[in-house]
Amino acid sequence: MPQMNMIQALNSAMDIMLTRDPSVVVIGEDVGYFGGVFRTTDGLQRKHGEHRVIDAPIAEGGIIGAAIGMGVNGLRPIAEIQFADYIYPGFDQIASQLAKLRYRTGGDFFAPVTVRTPCGGGIRGGQTHSQSPEGLFTHVAGLKVVMPSTPYDAKGLLISAVEDDDPVIFFEPKRLYNGPFDGDHDKPAVPWSTHPGGEVPEDYYSLPIGRAEVVSAGDDLTILCYGTMVHVAQASAARLGVAADIIDIRTLLPLDVATLKQSVEKTGRCLVLHEATRFSGYGAELVATIVEECFYALEAPVRRVCGWDTPYPHAFEWEYFPGQKRVMVAIENLLEEE
Amino acid sequence: MEQITDATLLDIHRRMIRIRIFEETAGKLMEDGKIPGALHLYVGQEAIASAVMVHLSNKDWITSTHRGHGHLIAKGGEFDQMFAELYGKATGYCKGKGGSMHISNLDLGMLGANGIVGGGPPIAVGAGFSNKFRKTDNVSVSFFGDGASNEGSFHEAANMAGLYKLPVIFICENNGYGEYTAQKNHQAIVDVADRAAGYGMPGVIVDGMDAIAVFEAAGEAIKRARAGEGPTLLECKTYRYFDHVGVRGMGLSYRTDEEVEQWRKRDPIESLEKRLADQGILSPEAAQAVHDEVRTQVQDSVRFAEQSPMPDPSTLLEDVYAA
């Protein structure tokens, strides 16, 4: 089985879709000639042509709006927003146009647009290159929201996103691009070749949108997480020797409620993790879902470990990032609660 | 320049009458509380939509504005489905889910009225990109106002259309007001067409009250676009008789009644009818017959809308995602 990092896996997914489907195009800042600031689109313009892999001006609303027009008119665009922090100028086009197009036309129109965007912290990017804005998008009816945690999932889910007739906001945790970062920033970087999720088939495959994955099984508690926090959760549980059901949400919208419910009914304890700020974060939706679905199975309150409710701090990156230390404390407390 | 035929003149005239009577009727129904919500009416601007749209086929796509009824009517919209949509009925163009500000129809290439000022231009750019990509000679036309020309979305879209040399026509209907703010209080320029220079495309100014002038200028821009020569910004100087929203046009503080009266003297329908009569193309009696015929159609369609069923409540949750 070939080994790929997440960048190569995403590149492979786009290469395959550009080859299989002549209506697929890629548009974004620096994606063409240069190959993307993270190299995610490297070589695609050379192979597929300037009319398929298109360099756009630095104009996020224009990029997403153009992708909508393309999508309505017979193409299947993949729009790259270079950092998730840059998506706000395009938010109007996403929230007011893209998400609502099908509904407001009574099903007459749709735009099969995928918006790819690198998110999250751990790269010392400061407040405008580290954000995790996924909760803003899960709050918009009409969108699907995906965030993979491994190269294998990234490729399979991106292919599904491109094939999906609904708009998909595809978040790529950029600290995971080159390796399975578990929150321990003092440790030497680990490459994906050491992780089973780095085994990625060369050929086409897809993974279903709307399905969470139980990445490790245990009876002590359930940990709900996605993106970078999946690796933090695994490392934290292993260090404590705790048997946790660790569930990688993978597709935040639609949410795989059945998998969550099955786990929490078994364990009775649930911890929710994300990098994004805590208040009104996506975790609040997860907590509400667990309380509504599993109330009588719960043995303790559902707890959250999240980013602090501050802008992403430059100096205090590792105090902000919900690393192993905070997660372990939360696990221990949760297991002791009566 | 394309010589306008008598048949085209009559076609434009009829489209203008259809818009005028539809809008006046819809405004009255809104005031009477029969049509829910607020309407932004196109009365006064009819020459623009009508004279542009005669150049377009159903495969040429347009994006519209919050003042969008006129664009849809000129593009071939049927009164029945339009009134039904305004009423929020199941028989409307969008099954009642769009309403006035979001009315659209795929078959006619009408991508939608748009409640977001400046929402349309980037979408028209994408549709135009697709037309070029698929090597069709179809164009996309984006209608917007002087107010929207201050939105970043317009500038981003114009830059991209110029950069990629796309078959897109930007039609600014400059009616002198961004909602309730006069143009001189919302931008430092008099001619929005000046902005074309920044995006490598021609900027053309035309009298938006003169249907024949609009026909000729739009024809040139559309011909250029179809020939692969890129986009044009066409600014049509016009006026909305009614208020930004609703019907009342006079007695308001943000503009004078004298100004409204001055513009009404240049009414696009009256001036076209005078020319048609002078040239022996359409007598005043024949013109009146068009008004009467359209008025009857409008009344029939209002009846159709009022008698149509409400959407079934179960459809509330439909069409959010692909089935």
Side-chain angles (χ1 to χ4, degrees):
Chain A
M1 180 77 74
Q3 295 285 340
M4 295 188 198
N5 64 28
M6 195 181 281
I7 293 165
Q8 293 163 328
L10 293 162
N11 183 283
S12 169
M14 286 187 277
D15 186 21
I16 286 168
M17 292 313 294
L18 283 159
T19 305
R20 281 169 71 99
D21 182 349
S23 74
V24 170
V25 296
V26 175
I27 182 167
E29 296 154 10
D30 300 318
V31 301
Y33 181 79
F34 185 66
V37 295
F38 291 104
R39 318 306 305 153
T40 317
T41 53
D42 192 25
L44 295 179
Q45 188 185 69
R46 235 176 1 262
K47 181 168 173 186
H48 298 282
E50 285 180 21
H51 63 302
R52 308 275 314 274
V53 183
I54 306 143
D55 279 317
I58 301 176
E60 292 78 15
I63 290 168
I64 291 167
I68 297 168
M70 292 172 174
V72 167
N73 198 13
L75 300 183
R76 200 165 273 275
I78 304 169
E80 177 180 303
I81 299 300
Q82 197 167 77
F83 282 79
D85 312 77
Y86 306 169
I87 209 163
Y88 303 124
F91 191 74
D92 173 59
Q93 284 288 332
I94 293 175
S96 294
Q97 312 296 340
L98 181 60
K100 295 173 172 55
L101 193 60
R102 186 188 294 278
Y103 194 80
R104 75 164 155 80
T105 62
D108 206 10
F109 294 111
F110 68 96
V113 173
T114 301
V115 179
R116 287 184 39 244
T117 191
C119 69
I123 63 152
R124 304 309 300 260
Q127 62 183 341
T128 60
H129 289 70
S130 307
Q131 292 170 86
S132 297
E134 66 274 7
L136 299 174
F137 296 88
T138 57
H139 194 58
V140 179
L143 299 178
K144 293 181 176 175
V145 178
V146 172
M147 194 187 301
S149 68
T150 66
Y152 177 80
D153 284 1
K155 178 172 173 179
L157 286 167
L158 182 57
I159 286 175
S160 289
V162 175
E163 290 178 334
D164 202 298
D165 282 345
D166 290 317
V168 180
I169 313 299
F170 192 93
F171 287 101
E172 302 166 4
K174 55 186 172 292
R175 181 67 207 235
L176 297 183
Y177 272 158
N178 290 303
F181 178 65
D182 65 7
D184 185 351
H185 55 281
D186 289 330
K187 197 167 72 178
V190 178
W192 276 111
S193 56
T194 63
H195 189 283
E199 292 179 5
V200 181
E202 293 277 7
D203 296 336
Y204 171 96
Y205 65 93
S206 64
L207 296 172
I209 289 175
R211 201 81 55 77
E213 198 196 6
V214 182
V215 295
S216 70
D219 293 336
D220 294 343
L221 82 162
T222 299
I223 304 179
L224 304 180
C225 49
Y226 51 89
T228 316
M229 296 311 296
V230 173
H231 303 279
V232 177
Q234 286 179 294
S236 304
R239 277 176 68 181
L240 290 173
V242 165
D245 251 7
I246 299 177
I247 298 180
D248 182 352
I249 301 291
R250 290 204 302 197
T251 74
L252 283 61
L253 178 64
L255 175 63
D256 179 1
V257 175
T259 297
L260 275 53
K261 189 177 170 186
Q262 197 178 15
S263 172
V264 176
E265 282 180 345
K266 178 183 71 173
T267 65
R269 294 170 196 270
C270 181
L271 181 66
V272 171
L273 310 178
H274 59 56
E275 276 188 63
T277 48
R278 176 185 171 100
F279 193 88
S280 290
Y282 182 71
E285 182 60 37
L286 292 176
V287 173
T289 302
I290 295 305
V291 170
E292 284 176 338
E293 297 288 330
C294 312
F295 183 79
Y296 296 105
L298 286 171
E299 294 168 31
V302 185
R303 298 294 183 189
R304 286 179 285 170
V305 181
C306 310
W308 301 111
D309 288 328
T310 66
Y312 207 101
H314 174 59
F316 298 116
E317 176 117 33
W318 302 116
E319 282 70 28
Y320 176 94
F321 187 92
Q324 291 177 28
K325 205 189 292 177
R326 279 167 62 199
V327 173
M328 287 193 295
V329 169
I331 292 172
E332 286 180 317
N333 289 344
L334 185 58
L335 291 178
E336 285 166 14
E337 286 197 65
E338 294 290 336
Chain B
M1 190 176 292
E2 188 183 345
Q3 197 60 42
I4 191 163
T5 64
D6 291 359
T8 301
L9 282 167
L10 293 170
D11 184 357
I12 292 172
H13 174 255
R14 178 174 288 268
R15 292 185 204 218
M16 290 170 70
I17 304 301
R18 282 173 62 81
I19 297 170
R20 174 73 53 98
I21 297 175
F22 179 96
E23 292 289 68
E24 288 176 344
T25 308
K28 178 82 171 54
L29 291 165
M30 182 196 90
E31 284 191 317
D32 292 348
K34 292 194 171 162
I35 288 176
L39 304 181
H40 305 79
L41 300 170
Y42 196 70
V43 174
Q45 303 181 202
E46 295 92 341
I48 302 165
S50 303
V52 170
M53 245 60 97
V54 290
H55 292 288
L56 304 180
S57 79
N58 288 348
K59 292 192 168 161
D60 297 312
W61 292 40
I62 65 165
T63 63
S64 172
T65 69
H66 54 288
R67 204 173 304 290
H69 306 163
H71 301 130
L72 180 52
I73 293 169
K75 199 86 175 44
E78 298 289 346
F79 287 162
D80 278 4
Q81 290 101 304
M82 287 191 67
F83 272 117
E85 188 60 34
L86 267 50
Y87 271 85
K89 296 297 183 74
T91 51
Y93 267 125
C94 311
K95 302 181 201 163
K97 283 176 167 162
S100 162
M101 265 190 286
H102 312 98
I103 197 163
S104 63
N105 183 251
L106 185 64
D107 294 337
L108 297 170
M110 160 55 164
L111 268 170
N114 206 313
I116 303 294
V117 171
I123 297 173
V125 163
F129 185 96
S130 181
N131 286 329
K132 184 173 179 175
F133 179 92
R134 293 180 295 115
K135 298 187 168 58
T136 73
D137 70 348
N138 296 124
V139 300
S140 59
V141 178
S142 184
F143 293 91
F144 59 97
D146 48 305
S149 79
N150 298 331
E151 288 276 8
S153 57
F154 160 70
H155 294 271
E156 295 188 17
N159 182 53
M160 290 172 84
L163 173 70
Y164 303 134
K165 227 175 167 188
L166 297 180
V168 178
I169 298 93
F170 296 92
I171 297 192
C172 178
E173 301 185 61
N174 182 351
N175 62 20
Y177 291 87
E179 299 190 30
Y180 302 93
T181 299
Q183 191 194 357
K184 68 175 165 36
N185 293 331
H186 76 63
Q187 53 193 198
I189 54 172
V190 173
D191 299 320
V192 174
D194 290 350
R195 294 190 162 166
Y199 307 111
M201 69 177 85
V204 179
I205 300 169
V206 69
D207 178 1
M209 307 305 268
D210 180 344
I212 297 170
V214 173
F215 173 85
E216 288 170 352
E220 284 299 305
I222 292 165
K223 200 166 78 182
R224 253 179 63 82
R226 291 201 202 284
E229 291 165 29
T232 300
L233 170 55
L234 176 61
E235 178 184 8
C236 305
K237 305 279 194 187
T238 187
Y239 201 75
R240 62 169 203 239
Y241 290 0
F242 294 154
D243 209 4
H244 161 62
V245 61
V247 176
R248 191 175 165 201
M250 310 273 267
L252 293 156
S253 60
Y254 73 97
R255 64 181 191 186
T256 64
D257 291 355
E258 293 71 39
E259 181 184 286
V260 179
E261 279 157 10
Q262 284 303 314
W263 278 93
R264 277 181 176 268
K265 282 182 193 155
R266 303 186 51 231
D267 185 76
I269 293 175
E270 281 175 24
S271 60
L272 180 62
E273 287 183 345
K274 185 168 183 308
R275 269 168 95 160
L276 293 175
D278 290 349
Q279 292 173 18
I281 298 167
L282 187 73
S283 70
E285 295 74 28
Q288 187 56 47
V290 176
H291 287 254
D292 295 343
E293 184 193 331
V294 170
R295 201 170 295 282
T296 304
Q297 289 168 358
V298 162
Q299 283 160 0
D300 290 347
S301 294
V302 170
R303 206 169 306 119
F304 170 83
E306 290 184 345
Q307 290 171 357
S308 287
M310 287 292 289
D312 190 275
S314 67
T315 63
L316 169 70
L317 301 179
E318 291 175 3
D319 300 320
V320 182
Y321 295 98

